[in-house]
Amino acid sequence: MSLRIVFLGDIVGGPGCKAVSQLVPVIRQRWGPDLVIANAENAANGTGLTPDIYKKLCARGIDAITLGDHVYKKKQIVQTLQSESNIIRPANLSAGASGKRWMSVKPGPKDGQENPGGQEGPGGPGIQGVQGVYVLTVLGRIFMNMPANDPFATVDGLLDELPERDPIVIVEIHAEATSEKIAMGWHLNGRVTAVVGTHTHTPTADARILPAQVDGTGHPGIGPGGTAYISDLGMTGPHDSVLGRRADRVVSHMTTNMPFPFDVAEGNPRVQGVVIDIDTGSRRATAIEPIDLAADVTKPPFANG
Ligand SMILES: [Fe+2]
Ligand SMILES: [Fe+2]
């Protein structure tokens, strides 16, 4: 049997949330995913996530939510991180950081009308033989402002901690440096189902299923293959911008060194991410395909239509 997962890149501000409302139903209809996961670290006006926006995203068809270095920028999200089963913080933060380091999300019905929820959520009929899809995210350490523990050792430790042996695991590497993301892909190749990058808000053209080691050199770290990989999912938000912020403001700042408020932009809202097909028997990925859809701003919820 197969399982299909959609993972969307960082949702940015109101335009990103509206794009989710308009286009996740389209994604559900066109690709028929069993799960839709999204990074929502920029959903609250560009920085962080609030409980209200969390609820709206879940109601609009996002089954599970991850966060990155902006995890605690809206501190009220801490209660949501503690109480809800379908939202996680980066796993390699300080030991006392609030929130879960991994979640198990149950695949639900394909009609997109219900949120299957997390491991303790209402769930749907599920997919035969699949208890849950484990999702975890780690921060990179290169060119990142937020101090974090070794992401490679953190994932290795979590894989040993999970209650199932060799389950379906999706690992998000939220990092600035492409090299660190690619290294994570090879590090986990054949041991997890997918490794997807976020944080840079710009989709990369390197989506593929990582191959098995075939050169016979015996070099470690290449793995037995079968892990879907992309360096960055892109951004669910306004693309006539600098990473979601008003381009005029960012350009003014960068050309003068003067402070300018980096308000969230509005133009060209898009939904970007990938669709991943998984063989539930082997727990390995069989396909990964980018998604890049433009919202129609003449229609709801951008306009009254
Ligand atoms: Fe982001
Ligand atoms: Fe980030």
Side-chain angles (χ1 to χ4, degrees), residues 10 41 69-70 174 199:
D10 304 30
E41 70 153 4
D69 52 311
H70 292 299
H174 191 82
H199 177 70

Side-chain angles (χ1 to χ4, degrees), residues 80-163:
T80 306
L81 282 165
Q82 291 171 340
S83 64
E84 302 299 328
S85 60
N86 66 336
I87 181 169
I88 51 170
R89 59 138 166 115
N92 54 337
L93 303 182
S94 301
S98 283
K100 291 173 292 302
R101 299 189 301 156
W102 56 268
M103 59 184 161
S104 170
V105 192
K106 193 185 291 183
K110 288 193 175 191
D111 62 14
Q113 300 308 305
E114 289 182 47
N115 168 24
Q119 60 189 137
E120 289 156 13
I127 301 293
Q128 197 173 10
V130 177
Q131 300 278 321
V133 172
Y134 292 87
V135 183
L136 57 104
T137 182
V138 284
L139 296 183
R141 293 187 295 181
I142 301 173
F143 305 132
M144 296 291 284
N145 288 328
M146 194 169 198
N149 298 318
D150 179 348
F152 300 92
T154 298
V155 175
D156 289 346
L158 285 176
L159 292 179
D160 286 340
E161 269 180 41
L162 296 179

Side-chain angles (χ1 to χ4, degrees), residues 10 39 41-42 67-71 139 144 172 174-176 198-201:
D10 304 30
N39 181 300
E41 70 153 4
N42 307 103
L67 295 163
D69 52 311
H70 292 299
V71 52
L139 296 183
M144 296 291 284
E172 175 188 2
H174 191 82
E176 184 75 27
T198 53
H199 177 70
T200 52
H201 292 203

